[in-house]
Amino acid sequence: MKILITGGSGLIGSELIKQLITHEHEIVVLTRSEKRTREKLNHLNHYPLELISSLDNLHDLNHFDAVINLAGEPIADRRWTDTQKQVISQSRWQITEKLVELIHASSSPPSVFISGSAVGFYGDQQDHPIDESLQVQSNEFSHLVCVTWENIARKAESESTRVCLLRTGVVLSADGGALPKMLLPYRFGCGGPIGSGNQYLPWIHIQDMVQGILFLLVTDYAHGPFNLCAPHPVPNKIFSKTLAKTLHRPHVMFVPEWAIRLIMGESAALLLDSTRAKPKKLTELGFKFKYSHLEPALKQILQTLP
């Protein structure tokens, strides 16, 4: 396959590219910084990756078999000011709109368009188990970002192109994302639950995240939204207790909800909302998770850390 990837230097994208080249796919990566992307993917220098800095020179996507759209400003790096909300939103919506336009302009379009989203689509659902069939009406920022992003991507769907939407949970990896940030207080012996600790955390191991995307890439009848999260989400207090146990560190401190809201503002929803999402559609299609339970996932990741 010839595959166009956006967000190829990110946590998921870089690991995905590493797996794709083992299957000898031809990869074209859209990147804002060719230098930074080459540095991130320097272990692949022997492989002829093509990097492009803009979609403006493309008139269609006739020569691509698939498009995987993972681009977007990190959602948790800064407080959600009005300006930052615009950056987060437009970084997702604009590139997706451009890809959809190019797919529509193609006489022989890609057979599959896999586009990012997040479990933030669901907002706070307390302890109710949820799957992809849940209809959500919400004014929460995370939902509005995701629902608009998904609606733009869906416009690419046709008899020639199927669309898969990745409602991604918290991706656990030693190479970045949320987990390294979580580890710091535990290393100093002051880790513990956040808020009530009852809020469910939909997590996924990076290996299952990538394998899930590869599964959707080649499963011709897969389309629509998919929860990319492990089958067994856990409450925050169980997650933190398991992390402490795996690290052999105390689990004694807790951060009150008011403190999180004071520090993070509106973006505190990322830590305090409860999303007990299940990957129903993926498992019904026959996808097998390598890491279904949290403790083995954490042990595998943490043993790779120095």
Side-chain angles (χ1 to χ4, degrees):
M1 281 187 182
K2 184 173 183 178
I3 304 170
L4 173 63
I5 298 179
T6 73
S9 62
L11 175 65
I12 299 169
S14 56
E15 184 64 27
L16 176 64
I17 290 170
K18 186 164 67 175
Q19 293 300 317
L20 284 169
I21 65 172
T22 65
H23 295 87
E24 300 185 349
H25 294 296
E26 184 179 350
I27 309 299
V28 178
V29 181
L30 175 68
T31 175
R32 289 176 294 179
S33 171
E34 182 173 331
K35 179 182 178 182
R36 186 167 66 89
T37 300
R38 290 211 179 274
E39 288 173 353
K40 184 70 182 274
L41 303 175
N42 62 3
H43 56 295
L44 305 176
N45 278 341
H46 62 285
Y47 189 86
L49 284 177
E50 181 181 350
L51 303 185
I52 60 174
S53 59
S54 173
L55 294 174
D56 292 342
N57 294 327
L58 298 178
H59 302 293
D60 56 56
L61 298 178
N62 283 331
H63 300 295
F64 290 97
D65 301 295
V67 178
I68 302 175
N69 177 31
L70 303 173
E73 174 79 6
I75 200 166
D77 282 6
R78 299 179 182 179
R79 286 176 70 97
W80 289 350
T81 62
D82 289 344
T83 300
Q84 184 63 10
K85 284 182 177 181
Q86 281 297 308
V87 171
I88 289 169
S89 301
Q90 295 304 323
S91 67
R92 288 158 171 77
W93 300 346
Q94 288 180 351
I95 195 167
T96 306
E97 285 176 340
K98 181 62 175 176
L99 290 168
V100 170
E101 288 174 9
L102 289 170
I103 290 172
H104 285 167
S106 305
S107 57
S108 178
S111 60
V112 58
F113 179 38
I114 298 176
S115 191
S117 185
V119 293
F121 173 91
Y122 299 111
D124 186 2
Q125 297 295 329
Q126 300 177 13
D127 63 349
H128 305 296
I130 58 176
D131 59 42
E132 296 88 349
S133 65
L134 183 69
Q135 300 297 311
V136 179
Q137 297 286 334
S138 172
N139 290 319
E140 288 187 44
F141 174 65
S142 59
H143 171 73
L144 295 175
V145 171
C146 291
V147 73
T148 304
W149 196 9
E150 290 186 9
N151 286 340
I152 294 168
R154 288 178 192 272
K155 294 177 183 177
E157 194 156 28
S158 69
E159 291 184 359
S160 301
T161 303
R162 59 188 175 89
V163 174
C164 296
L165 306 166
L166 309 175
R167 291 180 181 168
T168 305
V170 176
V171 180
L172 302 182
S173 168
D175 296 323
L179 186 58
K181 297 174 184 177
M182 294 177 183
L183 293 178
L184 189 59
Y186 289 90
R187 293 196 186 282
F188 287 97
C190 55
I194 294 171
S196 70
N198 294 323
Q199 67 274 27
Y200 273 81
L201 181 74
W203 61 274
I204 185 169
H205 191 290
I206 183 64
Q207 290 183 21
D208 283 329
M209 181 72 211
V210 168
Q211 291 303 316
I213 295 173
L214 296 177
F215 179 82
L216 295 174
L217 184 68
V218 300
T219 304
D220 293 339
Y221 43 88
H223 66 93
F226 290 85
N227 290 339
L228 268 292
C229 46
H232 301 287
V234 296
N236 173 268
K237 59 187 176 185
I238 300 299
F239 185 96
S240 58
K241 184 176 182 179
T242 306
L243 183 55
K245 176 184 175 183
T246 308
L247 288 168
H248 306 291
R249 292 290 191 274
H251 179 252
V252 293
M253 302 293 288
F254 106 100
V255 184
E257 180 176 328
W258 65 264
I260 293 295
R261 295 196 184 279
L262 182 65
I263 295 167
M264 298 182 64
E266 188 180 352
S267 65
L270 296 170
L271 298 177
L272 299 175
D273 280 1
S274 180
T275 311
R276 196 176 178 181
K278 299 276 192 171
K280 182 179 180 184
K281 286 181 63 179
L282 261 182
T283 52
E284 285 182 345
L285 287 180
F287 180 74
K288 304 295 185 185
F289 283 82
K290 184 174 183 180
Y291 297 99
S292 296
H293 293 274
L294 180 62
E295 188 168 348
L298 288 175
K299 283 182 176 178
Q300 190 281 327
I301 293 168
L302 296 175
Q303 72 183 6
T304 67
L305 293 173

